[in-house]
Amino acid sequence: MIRIALLLLLAAATATAQSEPFAAVARKTFIDLLKLPQEHPTADVAAHGTRTEEGLIIEDISWKSLDEETVPAFIVKPAKIGGRLPAVICLHGSSGSRDSMVTKEFGPGEWVRYGRDKPHTRMLGWARELARRGYVALSMTQRGLDRRGPPVNTQSNVLLTRDRTGMGAVLHEIRQAVTWLSERPDVDPKRIGATGMSFGGITSFYMWVIDERIAAAAPLCGGVGSVDVFARKGRISYHGTYWWVPGMLAKGDQADFAAAIAPKPLMLWAPTEDVGMPRQGVDQFVATVRPAFERAGRPSGFVVHQQPGGHSFTIAAFEAMVEFFNEHL
């Protein structure tokens, strides 16, 4: 298959080039790298109860995924809805869960990671806060994290022997969620976004790449920039097996795929001292992707925050994400 970067050179040389054919090729190429089928997967969702709190409705749901895995999730939405609402799929980091994202408390707080005794500080209740601001928020526990053992890297290692990928298995479940959300009468299927921190940041970014139904994405500290730069200059042991997509760089780096998907809206929260992605990788990403949005006539659809700081989900990051979704969903 033609390398994605070559497609971008052809697009840049042709003023009348249409973005959608390039986006379709990029999606198909990356889905193939993930060892996933091209068609959208379905989900037979089971409901386990509903409660109303603080003017919000919280639905406890789950569905079966690959390998007989069960995906637990919450739907949080305003109790009073005047029509179809935009929806956001909320994806936690490696030490969070669906529960940490729907606490009544919103903001940095103490949380005890499953299997640990001591608490750590993390952003709590941010999916619930999105619902308070008028969104349908789907908060799901991702595969291999929290109670969903064995650990994601262990699963990824085993899947490689079966000609599958850990990232593909994780994204399959999120694609199922998109299918189900698209069919809900309270969700506008044309206004579904994805966001997440760290582990959830990279999965939200790759969902933006592979699924045309994701209208906008806002990865936060998600290791988005350049896989090539990280492999040469980053702390290699920081990202587990799931992060490394076999054969990816033979087709294109993260920026090549993102530029092909332009001008679908994308926001990056990329602190300059984030251990998950060197600043050089983010700079390289911006240098490749921004011109693609400009050529497509939608420069405002690409938003990058490169403020000083490290790998952390802050109130500022949350507010930037909400502002982005308010404009683009």
Side-chain angles (χ1 to χ4, degrees), residues 8 17-24 27 208 212 214-217 257-267 289-303 324 327-328:
L8 298 177
Q18 298 296 310
S19 63
E20 185 54 34
F22 299 109
R27 285 195 297 268
W208 178 85
E212 74 282 1
I214 295 294
F257 286 96
I261 301 300
K264 186 165 67 167
L266 176 68
M267 186 198 97
V289 177
R290 192 175 298 284
F293 276 80
E294 292 172 348
R295 287 194 300 269
R298 196 177 186 182
S300 64
F302 182 52
V303 180
F324 173 78
E327 180 177 354
H328 295 289

Side-chain angles (χ1 to χ4, degrees), residues 32-240:
D32 286 343
L33 288 170
L34 295 168
K35 307 292 185 179
L36 290 174
Q38 294 291 325
E39 60 271 12
H40 301 143
T42 60
D44 185 9
V45 174
H48 306 294
T50 301
R51 66 184 190 270
T52 301
E53 297 176 352
E54 305 176 317
L56 301 173
I57 295 174
I58 302 175
E59 304 172 17
D60 182 357
I61 61 173
S62 67
W63 63 90
K64 286 290 185 181
S65 184
L66 300 173
D67 310 311
E68 292 303 307
E69 286 269 341
T70 297
V71 186
F74 290 120
I75 287 285
V76 190
K77 65 178 184 178
K80 295 181 180 180
I81 296 178
R84 291 178 180 264
L85 297 179
V88 175
I89 298 175
C90 302
L91 303 164
H92 57 84
S94 58
S95 58
S97 67
R98 67 170 186 163
D99 302 282
S100 68
M101 295 185 287
V102 299
T103 60
K104 291 183 179 180
E105 174 189 2
F106 166 61
E110 296 295 294
W111 184 257
V112 179
R113 180 178 183 176
Y114 177 73
R116 305 287 177 87
D117 296 323
K118 296 182 179 180
H120 68 279
T121 301
R122 68 177 303 104
M123 182 66 75
L124 299 175
W126 59 274
R128 184 187 290 243
E129 182 65 17
L130 274 173
R132 292 190 186 107
R133 302 195 188 195
Y135 291 88
V136 174
L138 187 147
S139 170
M140 58 182 285
T141 298
Q142 298 193 85
R143 180 175 176 138
L145 301 181
D146 195 60
R147 292 172 172 79
R148 296 192 58 193
V152 63
N153 290 323
T154 301
Q155 294 191 37
S156 298
N157 292 338
V158 174
L159 288 172
L160 287 173
T161 69
R162 305 184 189 283
D163 197 28
R164 294 170 58 193
T165 68
M167 182 61 75
V170 172
L171 294 179
H172 175 87
E173 300 178 350
I174 308 173
R175 295 173 83 198
Q176 288 180 297
V178 176
T179 300
W180 183 71
L181 279 175
S182 299
E183 297 169 350
R184 285 180 62 103
D186 52 3
V187 170
D188 184 342
K190 294 183 180 180
R191 293 192 292 162
I192 298 176
T195 187
M197 167 65 186
S198 192
F199 187 106
I202 190 63
T203 54
S204 63
F205 172 67
Y206 285 148
M207 277 298 298
W208 178 85
V209 171
I210 70 172
D211 201 312
E212 74 282 1
R213 300 171 299 173
I214 295 294
L220 311 175
C221 300
V224 180
S226 168
V227 173
D228 177 62
V229 169
F230 189 84
R232 291 185 290 106
K233 298 181 179 295
R235 188 193 303 175
I236 301 299
S237 61
Y238 182 77
H239 292 303

